[in-house]
């Protein structure tokens, strides 16, 4: 097997290549003066199983084009199988037409990947698992949240409860709570589809004097977690911790979350980070990816 790494690869590619004794090759890439993307695969892939690792952030669109060009080139050059590992797959939140005339973006992305020639797709905590039906080949989803939840618990939690900040994250909370043998619940979130503004309603949830672990798939602006945390704190929670698979942390999201009373954010290494942050604990999830990859091969 050959592991090809693209600019969004977050480090997981190193452990994957090591685990399979595979050759790790960086795909050459540049941007032309007019903004177009160029790639070149500097190794022979003819007859090889090729695993491409690329996360789609930051910049989603650029990372997507690099990936599509690489997938199709591998197939053109005779790769016997193309496996794409996309630890963070962008556009997954636009999984339906919330308003008339909108696209189902994730459907377009997954169809494009399939038509470029990707045979198998491996993603981590996609916003909705059901979206994977749009990928024409075999698609596997791995969850990082159980591992993140366990890490949060290692430091000791008193009378813990796992909370989803909205109904959409309830299944995730349920799964983590089952593993941690704790209670779980959810809060009620409403998003204005035009302005993007969110409101979270303090539901009847018993958090008084307890340690709360908020579970979510993505932290973008931090609005969801910060609002949830403030409410939980106002209801008397002792500590608030967060386990979120993909911490995009746009602009001042980190400060926003920490100032809302969150003690620590546990997140997976699904995207590249420019710098370390004191209360952001990054957990390597290669151990979840490798066994799944073994099953595919
Ligand atoms: C939405 O349903 C997602 O699961 C996240 O809760 C959301 O994307 C987080 O966004 P933000 O950090 O901007 O509130």
């Amino acid at each position: 097997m050959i592991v090809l790494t693209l600019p969004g690869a977050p480090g997981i590619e190193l452990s994957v290549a090591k685990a399979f004794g595979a050759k790790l090759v960086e795909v050459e890439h540049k941007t032309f003066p007019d903004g177009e993307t160029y790639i070149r695969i500097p190794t022979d892939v003819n007859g090889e199983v090729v695993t491409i690792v690329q996360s789609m952030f930051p910049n989603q669109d650029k990372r997507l084009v690099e990936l599509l060009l690489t997938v199709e080139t591998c197939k053109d050059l005779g790769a016997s199988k193309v496996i794409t590992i996309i630890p963070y797959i962008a556009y997954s939140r636009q999984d339906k037409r919330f308003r008339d005339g909108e696209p189902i973006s994730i459907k377009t992305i997954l169809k494009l990947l399939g038509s470029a020639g990707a045979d198998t797709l491996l993603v981590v905590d996609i916003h909705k698992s059901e979206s994977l039906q749009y990928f024409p080949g075999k698609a596997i989803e791995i969850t990082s949240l159980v591992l993140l939840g366990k890490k949060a618990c290692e430091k000791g939690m008193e009378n813990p409860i796992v909370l989803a900040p909205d109904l959409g994250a309830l299944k995730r909370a349920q799964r983590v709570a089952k593993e941690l043998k704790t209670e779980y619940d959810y809060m009620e979130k409403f998003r204005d589809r035009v302005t993007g503004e969110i409101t979270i309603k303090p539901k009847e949830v018993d958090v008084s004097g307890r340690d709360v672990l908020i579970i979510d798939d993505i932290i973008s602006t931090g609005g969801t977690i910060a609002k949830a945390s403030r409410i939980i704190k106002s209801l008397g929670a002792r500590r608030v911790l967060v386990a979120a698979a993909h911490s995009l942390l746009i602009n001042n999201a980190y400060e926003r979350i920490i100032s809302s009373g969150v003690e620590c954010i546990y997140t997976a290494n699904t995207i590249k980070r420019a710098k370390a942050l004191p209360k952001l604990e990054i957990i390597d999830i290669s151990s979840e990816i490798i066994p799944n990859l073994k099953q595919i091969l």
Side-chain angles (χ1 to χ4, degrees), residues 1-6 13-27 41-46 48-53 293:
M1 179 170 79
I2 293 176
V3 176
L4 292 183
T5 161
L6 280 166
E13 65 283 5
L14 305 173
S15 342
V16 168
K18 197 169 167 213
F20 292 91
K23 189 169 154 191
L24 180 67
V25 180
E26 192 178 339
V27 174
I41 300 168
T43 190
D44 184 9
V45 294
N46 190 20
E48 301 277 353
V49 171
V50 178
T51 296
I52 304 170
V53 184
L293 197 51

Side-chain angles (χ1 to χ4, degrees), residues 21-246:
K23 189 169 154 191
L24 180 67
V25 180
E26 192 178 339
V27 174
E28 290 176 15
H29 58 92
K30 67 178 178 188
T31 302
F32 286 111
D34 61 359
E36 283 182 5
T37 298
Y38 167 94
I39 64 101
R40 179 177 169 271
I41 300 168
T43 190
D44 184 9
V45 294
N46 190 20
E48 301 277 353
V49 171
V50 178
T51 296
I52 304 170
V53 184
Q54 170 83 317
S55 244
M56 282 168 60
F57 190 81
N59 173 305
Q60 301 82 331
D61 297 357
K62 186 90 182 149
R63 302 288 90 89
L64 172 66
V65 174
E66 289 162 351
L67 179 60
L68 292 172
L69 296 177
T70 305
V71 169
E72 180 132 30
T73 308
C74 284
K75 271 299 171 78
D76 284 351
L77 298 178
S80 62
K81 188 173 188 174
V82 174
I83 300 165
T84 47
I85 300 183
I86 311 180
Y88 170 67
I89 185 154
Y91 290 100
S92 64
R93 284 169 290 177
Q94 185 71 29
D95 55 7
K96 64 177 175 193
R97 265 182 262 287
F98 298 96
R99 302 176 68 209
D100 289 348
E102 288 183 347
I104 302 171
S105 307
I106 190 64
K107 175 176 166 190
T108 308
I109 303 295
L110 292 173
K111 282 173 75 180
L112 276 171
L113 259 174
S115 57
D119 298 295
T120 308
L121 168 67
L122 212 142
V123 295
V124 179
D125 294 303
I126 188 168
H127 183 61
K128 261 206 201 89
S129 310
E130 293 76 9
S131 300
L132 291 172
Q133 65 177 298
Y134 298 124
F135 181 70
K138 185 177 170 59
I140 298 164
E141 182 189 8
I142 286 157
T143 185
S144 65
L145 291 170
V146 172
L147 190 61
L148 302 184
K150 283 184 179 164
K151 287 281 173 191
C153 279
E154 271 174 18
K155 299 213 172 117
M157 288 182 75
E158 225 169 82
N159 196 7
I161 178 165
V162 176
L163 265 194
D166 53 35
L167 187 57
L170 180 62
K171 265 198 211 158
R172 300 181 201 283
Q174 186 177 18
R175 178 154 183 200
V176 175
K178 191 175 167 211
E179 293 289 332
L180 303 181
K181 299 182 177 52
T182 65
E183 282 180 46
Y184 66 95
D185 209 329
Y186 72 100
M187 303 180 83
E188 287 178 84
K189 180 172 97 176
F190 305 91
R191 188 183 287 274
D192 183 316
R193 287 286 158 196
V194 180
T195 63
E197 185 70 24
I198 56 163
T199 42
I200 297 187
K201 269 221 221 144
K203 222 173 128 258
E204 285 285 312
V205 42
D206 175 21
V207 292
S208 182
R210 304 178 73 174
D211 288 350
V212 179
L213 178 65
I214 307 177
I215 295 282
D216 212 351
D217 57 336
I218 302 168
I219 300 177
S220 178
T221 65
T224 302
I225 299 290
K227 280 196 178 156
S229 165
R230 284 188 202 285
I231 291 168
I232 293 163
K233 278 276 181 182
S234 73
L235 294 173
R238 200 175 78 100
R239 291 161 73 218
V240 180
L241 304 167
V242 172
H246 316 290

